[in-house]
Amino acid sequence: MNATAADLASGKGHKDENFPVASKLVAPQYRAPIMAFYRFARLADDIADHETVPADQKLERLEIMRMGITGECDAEPSAVALRQVMAERKLDPVHALDLLEAFRRDVTKLRYGSWDELTDYCRFSANPVGRFVLDVHGEDRALWPANDALCTALQVINHLQDCGKDFHQLDRVYLPQDMLSAAGARTAELGEDKASPALLTVIQACAERTQHLLADAAPFARKIRDRRLGVEVAVIQRLAVSLAARLRRRDPLSERVHHGKAEALLLASGAALGRFVRP
């Protein structure tokens, strides 16, 4: 094996993500396990997204991470650390294992045929993250459907924001192929500096479907028993609602669709205040 995990790491950290990760809203006793999961996920993501390492090496590295979770191998420190955290807190390893399935798909699957195919990918790439956080807090698994709606929405938002970059750098396209065909758009248009009207139609249609997911997730924050986690989820929901609306108005190939720091802070503050002052 030529590439080590350290070689593949991007250097990106939790403060660089589009949405809060284990922010100070989360109670201190829960941050360490969440950060262990994040470091594991960040490395797996970096491996899958590396632009020059061959696919077989990526899959080999991801398999070492899987064996670290199951206890078959101790070669990857982030996997061993997460395994220990999960054992100490009696947490289900299924979330980490599901996540690795998504990153294996990132290595081997470059196109998604339909919206259903895309959301099935999100079932592995996004939903396990929220489920893990809920399990860390001891929350009821009856919250999983609402969690899944929010997490899938967040993942699709990221895909829409980065659709040009993903195509340029990785030849990876998450926009459903059947939606592109129906709109008369070509995949190659993602390589342009500006989206065509047909491509914009697809991006906006995906953003609209994301808004429906966010509507399903709207009651989620208030159903969480842990008040601090509920506030963080309310903040994430508010940021996502804003971004989904922006993606229905703007072209991610030629316009800014991410929040600036000041804008994100303002939106987050309003969401947090609303969660605190209302039962």
Side-chain angles (χ1 to χ4, degrees):
M1 183 182 307
N2 298 321
T4 66
D7 294 331
L8 302 180
S10 67
K12 186 175 181 179
H14 71 287
K15 293 183 179 179
D16 302 314
E17 302 293 345
N18 285 342
F19 298 97
V21 177
S23 75
K24 291 185 178 180
L25 288 171
V26 172
Q29 66 266 32
Y30 301 128
R31 288 182 208 151
I34 293 171
M35 285 306 301
F37 192 89
Y38 173 78
R39 284 188 286 269
F40 172 83
R42 178 73 266 154
L43 178 59
D45 194 9
D46 289 344
I47 290 170
D49 285 356
H50 201 282
E51 294 179 42
T52 60
V53 172
D56 60 343
Q57 288 190 34
K58 292 180 179 183
L59 292 173
E60 193 172 353
R61 270 289 153 201
L62 293 172
E63 176 62 11
I64 288 173
M65 296 188 76
R66 185 198 67 78
M67 291 191 292
I69 293 298
T70 61
E72 299 169 68
C73 172
D74 289 344
E76 174 43 53
S78 69
V80 174
L82 179 56
R83 184 180 82 221
Q84 292 171 344
V85 164
M86 292 188 297
E88 290 165 3
R89 300 198 178 218
K90 296 181 172 58
L91 297 169
D92 194 335
V94 68
H95 308 310
L97 296 173
D98 279 352
L99 202 62
L100 289 175
E101 168 59 22
F103 294 126
R104 284 190 292 268
R105 291 189 191 184
D106 280 341
V107 175
T108 60
K109 187 176 178 67
L110 299 178
R111 302 289 186 271
Y112 287 82
S114 65
W115 179 261
D116 287 345
E117 228 177 85
L118 177 60
T119 56
D120 181 69
Y121 165 79
C122 295
R123 182 168 71 87
F124 294 97
S125 69
N127 302 357
V129 178
R131 291 180 178 190
F132 179 84
V133 173
L134 290 173
D135 279 1
V136 166
H137 284 77
E139 294 288 339
D140 192 333
R141 289 191 170 189
L143 293 177
W144 279 13
N147 164 82
D148 294 353
L150 177 58
C151 289
T152 295
L154 300 180
Q155 182 73 86
V156 175
I157 286 169
N158 284 340
H159 290 330
L160 296 178
Q161 289 176 313
D162 296 339
C163 60
K165 183 178 75 172
D166 286 340
F167 180 72
H168 274 293
Q169 296 181 359
L170 301 166
D171 189 33
R172 193 184 294 156
V173 178
Y174 294 101
L175 294 179
Q177 294 295 300
D178 62 351
M179 294 176 71
L180 289 168
S181 296
R186 295 176 296 105
T187 298
E189 292 174 24
L190 287 164
E192 302 296 328
D193 294 331
K194 183 177 180 179
S196 68
L199 181 58
L200 269 182
T201 297
V202 177
I203 292 169
Q204 290 165 357
C206 288
E208 182 179 5
R209 292 188 184 194
T210 302
Q211 288 179 315
H212 294 316
L213 288 168
L214 290 169
D216 292 340
F220 181 27
R222 297 191 179 282
K223 292 182 178 180
I224 295 172
R225 290 193 306 266
D226 185 280
R227 194 167 183 83
R228 293 177 66 148
L229 179 61
V231 172
E232 176 158 276
V233 169
V235 166
I236 292 171
Q237 172 86 14
R238 183 65 189 88
L239 293 172
V241 167
S242 171
L243 287 171
R246 182 173 293 185
L247 284 161
R248 292 193 68 183
R249 302 190 307 269
R250 297 187 185 179
D251 170 13
L253 300 189
S254 63
E255 298 176 271
R256 181 179 177 84
V257 290
H258 292 73
H259 289 133
K261 288 186 177 180
E263 182 183 21
L265 181 60
L266 182 63
L267 289 167
S269 298
L273 181 62
R275 179 64 180 86
F276 271 124
V277 299
R278 292 195 297 269

